[in-house]
Every structure is written in structure tokens, then in C-alpha cells.
Amino acid sequence: MCSPNFAGGAAEREAPFMRIREKVVAAGCLAVAACLLAPSEAAADAKRNGTLGTVSDVSLVLGSSVVFLMPRVYYSDPESTVGWKGRWHFSVLAPAMTMTALTLLVDLPIKDAIESTRPGCTPEETKTALSSSECKSFGGPSTHAFASWGATGAGTGIFLVDTFRYSSGRFNAGGFIGNVAFPLTASVVTSIARGVAPEGTRPYENAGQIAIGGVTGFLSGLAIGTAYAMFQRPNCGYGNALFCW
């Protein structure tokens, strides 16, 4: 007679413990689910727009290429006949390689030293991120802005020297378009593509990172382009060859 009552009493005593255990298990499941969902949501928040990234890459390459493929356009020169002439110098590889070296310097040691993260990223996340991560590298100073505005600065320096030193102040539209207008437009496009973000995405760099990269790049390029044009005369110095060795 006592056995059923004893069993029933034991079941009643175990019921609260079972309810507590169920709550603990449910809480654990919720915690695991939260941990699994958190990285995915963070990654989604930090997504960049691939199309804008491609636009910035293409505009950077076009703007930089035009500057260093543009021939030196000049008018008056005591060693040649009077008139507008264009000569392409292989020595232009010197400022091109100098700007490339400076860009790599900004992209690697300088960025790593400053540790200015991309929008939506943290320093710890950036340092441990995989190559496929949206936070795989630091954002400032902007390498794209530095390189594109550096090319614009170099072209501006070359154009100014060729205009006022070698052309007696005469303006040449072709030289202006190739050395200044086109790379300037490409620099603006590059900066916009790196700094804007459609709804639901994040930009590649913030405004401050782009501004610092652009200003330092332009001033560096201007100094390099001006120095190169001052030391390298636009004419070949012999004959009427279009290419100068």
C-alpha cells in the first residue's frame, strides 16, 4: 500500500529538478545559437560592395597608366625646330617605380603601424582575419587614394614644368588632358568608389582615411613629378625620334 504512494511522492519531488534541467538545457541551446549567429551577422554588416571595389581598381589603373604613358609635350626648345612636339621617355619609369614603392610602403608597414581599421572592423579582428575576410587589412591611409592622387600629382608636376619651363608658358590641351584632367577625374572616381556604400553594405574606407591618403599621395606625386621633369628635358636631344632612351 505504501509503495505507490512512495513512488508518486518521489516523482513529485523529481519534477522541479526536471523542470530546472530543461530550462538549463534550453538556455544552453539559446547561447550556442547566439554564438553561431553572431559572427554571421557581424560579417554581413561588414560586407563591401564588390562592384564599387572593381570600379576603384579600374579607375586607379587607368588614371595611373595614362600619366606614365603620356608623352612629354613641349613647344619651344633651342635644340629643335619651333612647334609643338611630343616625346616619350623611358626615364619616366623612375617616377613610376618611385610612386609604386611609396604605395607599397603605405599599404604594408605604415598601415600596420597606424592600425586604422576599415569601417565595421576592429584591430583584433583585422590582425587575425583570414584572407577571405572583409577585415583582412587595415584601411588607413587609403592605398587607392594615395596611388591615384599620387599619379595626379605627378602628372600635374610634369605638366607645369613642361608648360612654364620648356614651352614658355604656352598651354597645350592634349598635355593638360593626359597629365591632369584625366588622372584627376580617375582620382575622384576612385575616392568616391572607396568611400560610398549602398544600403546594407559598408565602404572600403572612411572619409578620413581617403582624405589622408589622397593629400599625402598628391603631394608626394607632385614633388616626384616636378623633380623628374626638371632634371629630364622633354626633347630627346638627338634627331626627331619619338622615343627617348
Side-chain angles (χ1 to χ4, degrees):
M1 296 294 294
C2 295
S3 296
N5 293 333
F6 176 79
E12 291 177 357
R13 287 193 297 271
E14 290 179 359
F17 293 101
M18 293 178 65
R19 287 194 293 270
I20 294 174
R21 184 167 56 189
E22 290 174 355
K23 292 180 179 178
V24 171
V25 172
C29 292
L30 290 174
V32 172
C35 292
L36 293 175
L37 290 174
S40 299
E41 293 173 356
D45 288 342
K47 282 290 184 182
R48 321 291 174 193
N49 187 281
T51 301
L52 290 176
T54 301
V55 169
S56 67
D57 293 339
V58 172
S59 59
L60 168 61
V61 171
L62 290 177
S64 301
S65 299
V66 167
V67 170
F68 296 113
L69 293 177
M70 182 70 188
R72 300 282 299 279
V73 180
Y74 62 103
Y75 185 85
S76 61
D77 193 292
E79 299 180 10
S80 61
T81 57
V82 174
W84 288 107
K85 294 165 284 292
R87 302 287 185 269
W88 189 83
H89 294 254
F90 284 92
S91 59
V92 78
L93 294 176
M97 295 306 295
T98 302
M99 280 305 303
T100 301
L102 290 178
T103 302
L104 292 176
L105 186 65
V106 169
D107 192 53
L108 298 174
I110 292 180
K111 275 189 175 182
D112 291 342
I114 296 176
E115 295 188 359
S116 178
T117 59
R118 296 186 185 278
C121 302
T122 63
E124 294 74 17
E125 186 179 10
T126 303
K127 292 177 182 178
T128 59
L130 300 175
S131 59
S132 59
S133 172
E134 299 289 344
C135 301
K136 61 184 176 182
S137 63
F138 291 106
S142 170
T143 305
H144 280 67
F146 181 90
S148 62
W149 285 99
T152 300
T156 301
I158 294 173
F159 173 77
L160 292 176
V161 172
D162 287 351
T163 298
F164 293 102
R165 180 171 182 176
Y166 301 115
S167 301
S168 301
R170 293 180 176 86
F171 177 83
N172 182 273
F176 177 78
I177 293 173
N179 283 313
V180 181
F182 187 89
L184 176 62
T185 303
S187 297
V188 172
V189 172
T190 301
S191 299
I192 293 175
R194 301 301 290 185
V196 301
E199 185 178 357
T201 64
R202 289 186 181 273
Y204 284 87
E205 291 104 18
N206 60 43
Q209 294 168 340
I210 294 172
I212 293 175
V215 171
T216 55
F218 181 83
L219 294 177
S220 299
L222 182 64
I224 292 171
T226 301
Y228 163 72
M230 292 290 290
F231 286 105
Q232 175 64 70
R233 298 181 66 84
N235 69 312
C236 288
Y238 52 86
N240 292 317
L242 298 179
F243 298 94
C244 303
W245 300 87

